[in-house]
């Protein structure tokens, strides 16, 4: 496995983290919960979906970007750990968001 470098960490952070932050802001602040693929007006409350899913996506995106900024100040031998932690934050956050969507957003 090729060792991670600072460029790769920032590419992941600003692509994945930036997209998730952007989508989270759109969903939360413009009450656009209906753009989510699994949203059904008969089953789900649009305000709850917008609030919960938007908040979760914002937190995931900002966390990934913050972990990239922290990686500037650490030693090079921890870059692989930071890359893996970014991927873990994204996957765990999206799984948690899906769980909250199906569990908490019902009418």
């Amino acid at each position: 496995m090729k060792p991670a470098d600072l460029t790769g960490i920032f590419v992941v952070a600003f692509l994945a983290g930036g997209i998730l932050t952007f989508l989270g802001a759109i969903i939360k602040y413009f009450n656009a919960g209906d753009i989510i693929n699994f949203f059904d007006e008969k089953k789900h409350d649009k305000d709850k979906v917008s609030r919960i899913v938007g908040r979760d996506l914002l937190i995931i995106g900002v966390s990934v970007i913050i972990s990239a900024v922290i990686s500037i100040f650490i030693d090079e031998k921890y870059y692989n750990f930071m890359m893996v932690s970014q991927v873990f934050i994204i996957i765990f956050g999206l799984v948690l968001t899906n769980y909250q969507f199906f569990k908490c957003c019902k009418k």
Side-chain angles (χ1 to χ4, degrees):
M1 183 168 124
K2 183 180 173 191
D5 58 344
L6 200 55
T7 307
I9 292 172
F10 276 103
V11 166
V12 169
F14 289 113
L15 281 179
I19 289 171
L20 289 172
T21 303
F22 177 73
L23 283 176
I26 295 292
I27 290 171
K28 182 172 181 160
Y29 294 115
F30 293 109
N31 199 17
D34 54 349
I35 67 171
I36 297 172
N37 197 22
F38 299 116
F39 181 77
D40 185 12
E41 290 183 15
K42 298 173 186 162
K43 294 181 182 177
H44 302 106
D45 185 13
K46 183 178 175 182
D47 293 329
K48 280 185 185 178
V49 169
S50 299
R51 190 177 64 244
I52 292 173
V53 174
R55 181 196 62 214
D56 287 349
L57 292 179
L58 271 171
I59 290 172
I60 296 166
V62 170
S63 299
V64 170
I65 293 171
I66 288 173
S67 70
V69 171
I70 289 172
S71 67
I72 295 172
F73 303 108
I74 63 172
D75 196 22
E76 288 181 8
K77 63 183 178 181
Y78 298 113
Y79 284 170
N80 282 337
F81 174 74
M82 292 305 288
M83 183 72 80
V84 170
S85 68
Q86 284 180 339
V87 172
F88 177 76
I89 290 169
I90 293 169
I91 292 172
F92 182 73
L94 291 177
V95 168
L96 186 64
T97 301
N98 280 330
Y99 172 75
Q100 288 181 345
F101 175 76
F102 289 113
K103 184 74 173 175
C104 302
C105 296
K106 294 183 180 180
K107 283 188 175 181

